[in-house]
């Protein structure tokens, strides 16, 4: 069983449409793929409608969250939510708030870039985001690549779009403990995405992870492209201590990132534990 539990489509900041994504997943020899677009479920239906035989789809989302270390600055972090009821009102409203904020914030980033003479327009960013339920910095990055301001999306990030850049604008984020509870209340299963992805900025301490476990966290995403072997070993130990299952994934974004589908995988036993805890939606197979 080849199981990849974290991917993005054009419903957020991936480059494959949901239909292309499920086809690519089957072609890559995967048996199970989770669709986890940022703050939106817009890809669920088109992915399910295009599902090839032999592939199981786990509907999910990756929620933009924030926490405060004791006496520290707020730290942005991501919570993966699987198999929740998309109609449950409290969580649905929160996703709506996050999507709305993504739009106004992306517009403001483009204004700041333009004011500095960089070749990027809001119209083009909107076009690139297309029907995406969640516009993100990678859409702005693609516009900067098109106009020659950067050679690639990762380069657009390291030059202009990184967190803390003069052009960076914060978006709304959900308090991480509230997010864990919202996901559970919607029948879903919350997993902490790439807990030690240091490349993206400051990471949280084990104390915060323990608090998340107390709030209802189910798992830790251990095998992720942004984790080195020492971080993986540490997280595996912590998961065992806290009674959490561990997952693995690619965090595939199509051509916006270099990582291929199936770059890391989840063990079947962990996948079974996840599905056993879910009460809001079921995995989809034809
Ligand atoms: P946003 O959600 O709009 O704040 O944008 C953050 C997203 O951009 C992350 O979730 C990644 O998908 C992507 N991202 C972050 N850093 C990079 C990078 N260096 N290169 C390409 N994509 C990135
Ligand atoms: Zn993304
Ligand atoms: Fe993430
Ligand atoms: Fe992701």
């Amino acid at each position: 069983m080849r199981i990849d539990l974290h991917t993005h489509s054009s419903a957020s900041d991936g480059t494959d449409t949901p239909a292309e994504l499920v086809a690519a997943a089957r072609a890559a020899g995967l048996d199970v793929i989770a669709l986890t677009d940022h703050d939106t479920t817009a890809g669920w239906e088109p992915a399910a409608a295009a599902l090839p035989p032999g592939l199981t789809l786990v509907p999910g989302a990756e929620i933009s969250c924030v926490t405060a270390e004791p006496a520290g600055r707020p730290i942005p972090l991501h919570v993966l939510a699987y198999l929740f009821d998309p109609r449950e009102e409290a969580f649905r409203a929160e996703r709506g708030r996050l999507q709305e904020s993504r739009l106004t914030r992306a517009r403001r980033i483009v204004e700041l870039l333009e004011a500095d003479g960089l070749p990027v327009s809001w119209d083009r960013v909107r076009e690139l985001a297309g029907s995406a339920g969640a516009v993100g910095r990678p859409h702005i990055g693609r516009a900067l690549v098109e106009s020659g301001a950067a050679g690639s999306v990762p380069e657009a990030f390291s030059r202009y779009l990184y967190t803390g850049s003069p052009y960076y604008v914060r978006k709304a984020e959900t308090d991480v403990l509230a997010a864990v509870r919202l996901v559970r209340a919607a029948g879903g299963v919350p997993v902490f995405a790439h807990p030690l992805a240091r490349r993206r900025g400051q990471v949280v301490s084990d104390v915060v992870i323990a608090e998340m476990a107390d709030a209802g966290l189910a798992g830790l995403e251990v095998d992720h492209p942004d984790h080195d072997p020492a971080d993986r070993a540490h997280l595996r130990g912590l998961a065992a201590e806290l009674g959490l299952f561990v997952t693995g994934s690619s965090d595939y974004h199509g051509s916006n990132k270099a990582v291929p589908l199936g770059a890391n995988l989840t063990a079947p036993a962990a996948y079974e534990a996840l599905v056993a805890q879910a009460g809001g939606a079921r995995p989809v197979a034809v």
Side-chain angles (χ1 to χ4, degrees), residues 20-231:
E20 288 165 350
L21 176 67
V22 290
R26 196 62 195 127
L30 292 175
D31 300 290
V32 179
I33 185 181
L35 176 62
T36 52
D37 278 308
H38 298 286
D39 306 320
T40 181
T41 61
W44 288 19
E45 276 181 23
L51 200 62
L55 182 69
T56 296
L57 172 69
V58 178
E62 184 175 19
I63 307 303
S64 305
C65 298
V66 69
T67 188
E69 288 283 327
R73 282 186 304 154
I75 299 171
L77 70 171
H78 292 167
V79 169
L80 292 158
Y82 298 102
L83 297 169
F84 56 89
D85 177 355
R87 296 155 307 181
E88 189 278 326
E89 189 45 38
F91 189 27
R92 200 186 64 77
E94 181 61 4
R95 291 193 304 279
R97 185 180 78 94
L98 299 182
Q99 287 167 33
E100 185 92 8
S101 159
R102 281 179 165 280
L103 202 61
T104 49
R105 163 278 196 156
R107 189 171 192 144
R108 181 74 192 127
I109 293 176
V110 169
E111 280 171 8
L112 291 171
L113 289 163
E114 275 187 305
D116 235 10
L118 284 151
V120 59
S121 78
W122 177 238
D123 283 350
R124 186 60 191 141
V125 170
R126 275 204 92 138
E127 260 168 39
L128 287 168
S131 55
V135 60
R137 282 180 281 167
H139 298 115
I140 303 171
R142 278 167 70 194
L144 287 164
V145 170
E146 274 186 359
S147 65
S152 67
V153 171
E155 193 195 315
F157 265 86
S158 55
R159 292 180 71 161
Y160 308 112
L161 299 173
Y162 58 92
T163 304
S165 131
Y167 309 107
Y168 181 72
V169 178
R170 266 186 81 180
K171 60 185 186 299
E173 291 150 332
T174 309
D175 171 82
V176 70
L177 299 183
V180 166
R181 295 185 186 109
L182 275 173
V183 174
R184 285 288 191 189
V189 183
V191 172
F192 188 0
H194 46 73
L196 296 178
R198 302 171 201 284
R199 194 170 59 73
R200 303 167 189 233
Q202 204 188 340
V203 297
V204 300
S205 69
D206 292 356
V207 175
V208 172
I209 301 179
E211 284 170 5
M212 291 169 70
D214 283 343
L217 190 72
L220 294 183
E221 186 181 52
V222 171
D223 293 307
H224 182 279
D226 291 356
H227 288 160
D228 66 22
D231 287 338

